[in-house]
Amino acid sequence: MSRYLLLKDISVQNANAIAGLTYGFPAMTNFLGFAHALSRKLPSELAITLGGVAVISHENMVHARQPKEWGDYVFALTRNPLIPDKKKKEEFVPPPFNEEGRMNMTISLLIEVHGLLGGAMYQEDQLVNDVENILPKLRIAGGQITQIGSISLTNKEEDKKVLRRLMPGFVLLDRSEYLTEHVKNKHEQGEQISVFDAWCDFYKVKYQATRVKSEAEDQGELSNKAKWEFVKKPQMGYLVPIMSGYCAISPLYEAGKIDNVRDTTVPVAFAEAAYGIGEWMSPHRLTSINDAIWCYEHSESWYVAKTKPFIDPIIELSMDEFDENAAMKF
């Protein structure tokens, strides 16, 4: 059984609340990237690396407001600093901006630790001290770390005890298999539904109208009365849409073939966000921490974060009809 680094009650301000088409919580790629950055900054003499991550949310607040007493919420945005007005150079005006969603959150992280020696107390103490010094210099999902409750290493065979310490809160689990099952069931029922529409079924509020029979129908006239009924979600639970990784949308180009990339020494492929289904669950319902650990999995053109390895065959993208000249215009 693995040992984990527990970062408890991390307060983060101004974290990114937008993840592709979703909003409300950072993408799992943000937390895996944070663990990777932390692992790279550990001293090499420790001979320790960090792996997958489990995320527990205790509190979060999206920076949003409701302009009127009713209607949609919008992100609370600021435009600063002021810039000189092009027409009236003596005056200053707010600058233009791109919409950014921000949020404050309090989370706990459980990070896999590889390379710990049994009984090496000095190594364990040194790891905790190094992490304590490095953390304030890092960001989580673009947000600043303002406070850390505690940093510790978990003991083996104490998963239930550790999970109880993380209450109250909700741990994010991967439920992408629900989407696969939902699409399969729809196709078996003869419905031609796209994967995107099936994905939307997990978070849309849907009502269905059923015609109500009346005495007029017996005389050959149709009734205009209908009964509206709530359409249940495909699965039970606190299910949410999440961004879970990336998918290549182009062939892999040789190093240096694409202009204006960050690193011209490595091969390049264009990619888009990949989405899945997540479930928020109370930690006391888990039997093992490993069930909530997110790790990167890759298959064909896909590079996504999951808590379970790929089981069903994943969609393979065909590049036969790909226009290479069009791709070079990105």
Side-chain angles (χ1 to χ4, degrees), residues 60-201:
N60 60 73
M61 181 184 68
V62 178
H63 296 178
R65 62 186 180 88
Q66 197 174 19
K68 301 180 180 179
E69 295 182 358
W70 55 271
D72 295 333
Y73 281 81
V74 297
F75 290 115
L77 306 173
T78 60
R79 294 189 292 175
N80 53 313
L82 299 178
I83 59 174
D85 190 348
K86 294 182 178 180
K87 296 181 179 178
K88 301 178 181 179
K89 297 184 178 180
E90 297 181 355
E91 298 183 4
F92 290 84
V93 295
F97 64 94
N98 293 325
E99 187 174 37
E100 295 181 346
R102 298 294 178 182
M103 65 181 295
N104 295 348
M105 60 183 182
T106 301
I107 60 173
S108 293
L109 301 178
L110 282 164
I111 306 177
E112 283 183 323
V113 180
H114 303 294
L116 273 178
L117 302 177
M121 298 302 298
Y122 171 79
Q123 188 185 31
E124 296 179 10
D125 294 339
Q126 186 63 36
L127 172 61
V128 173
N129 291 335
D130 289 337
V131 171
E132 187 175 1
N133 293 329
I134 295 172
L135 275 184
K137 305 174 186 177
L138 299 180
R139 289 173 175 259
I140 298 180
Q144 299 88 13
I145 299 175
T146 60
Q147 187 176 357
I148 304 170
S150 63
I151 303 173
S152 61
L153 283 167
T154 65
N155 296 321
K156 294 183 179 180
E157 309 296 339
E158 290 188 357
D159 283 11
K160 296 293 291 184
K161 182 178 179 180
V162 173
L163 290 170
R164 285 195 296 269
R165 289 178 56 195
L166 297 174
M167 297 175 62
F170 291 90
V171 58
L172 186 60
L173 305 177
D174 180 26
R175 290 290 185 259
S176 296
E177 67 272 13
Y178 288 173
L179 179 59
T180 303
E181 182 181 349
H182 181 49
V183 174
K184 182 179 179 180
N185 292 338
K186 287 294 186 180
H187 288 172
E188 290 177 351
Q189 296 172 6
E191 297 186 31
Q192 298 300 321
I193 186 173
S194 67
V195 178
F196 178 79
D197 289 334
W199 179 65
C200 293
D201 286 343

